[in-house]
């Protein structure tokens, strides 16, 4: 489950393309390490990074599901496939 110690990546300061590349690498690496639950911190702002990340997550073959953290709208919780 998701805890404070869940593996995460912080995309603050990244542009849209670099955020997409780093998120993809993060997902692939986490899956190889056997992680099931990960977090992406994209912030709130204008929603550009969140939109880019969510577009990637919808199509990514290793992502089972994802949702906005109900306690922090600047963070997306991701469950990877087994």
């Amino acid at each position: 489950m998701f805890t404070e110690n869940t593996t995460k990546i912080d995309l603050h300061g990244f542009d849209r393309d670099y955020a997409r590349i780093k998120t993809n690498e993060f997902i692939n690496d986490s899956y190889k390490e056997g992680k099931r639950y990960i977090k992406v911190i994209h912030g709130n702002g204008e929603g550009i990074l969140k939109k880019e990340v969510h577009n990637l997550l919808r199509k990514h073959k290793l992502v089972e599901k994802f949702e906005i953290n109900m306690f922090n709208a600047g963070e997306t919780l991701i469950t990877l496939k087994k």
Side-chain angles (χ1 to χ4, degrees):
M1 296 308 286
F2 297 97
T3 67
E4 195 60 38
N5 295 326
T6 299
T7 303
K8 58 189 161 220
I9 186 171
D10 188 340
L11 303 178
H12 283 102
F14 290 12
D15 67 27
R16 159 186 339 195
D17 293 329
Y18 193 59
R20 185 179 60 251
I21 291 167
K22 295 308 285 181
T23 301
N24 189 52
E25 289 175 355
F26 174 64
I27 291 168
N28 292 332
D29 291 346
S30 296
Y31 183 81
K32 288 176 189 171
E33 293 172 7
K35 309 275 188 208
R36 179 104 162 102
Y37 305 100
I38 58 175
K39 298 177 185 180
V40 174
I41 301 167
H42 42 67
N44 291 317
E46 296 177 25
I48 294 168
L49 291 181
K50 179 170 76 172
K51 182 177 179 183
E52 192 66 33
V53 167
H54 286 193
N55 285 338
L56 169 69
L57 296 176
R58 275 186 204 91
K59 301 172 188 171
H60 203 290
K61 63 184 180 187
L62 298 176
V63 173
E64 183 175 305
K65 67 179 184 173
F66 66 94
E67 61 190 347
I68 295 290
N69 183 343
M70 62 191 269
F71 300 107
N72 180 356
E75 181 176 89
T76 297
L77 308 174
I78 304 164
T79 302
L80 300 177
K81 293 183 179 178
K82 291 182 181 179

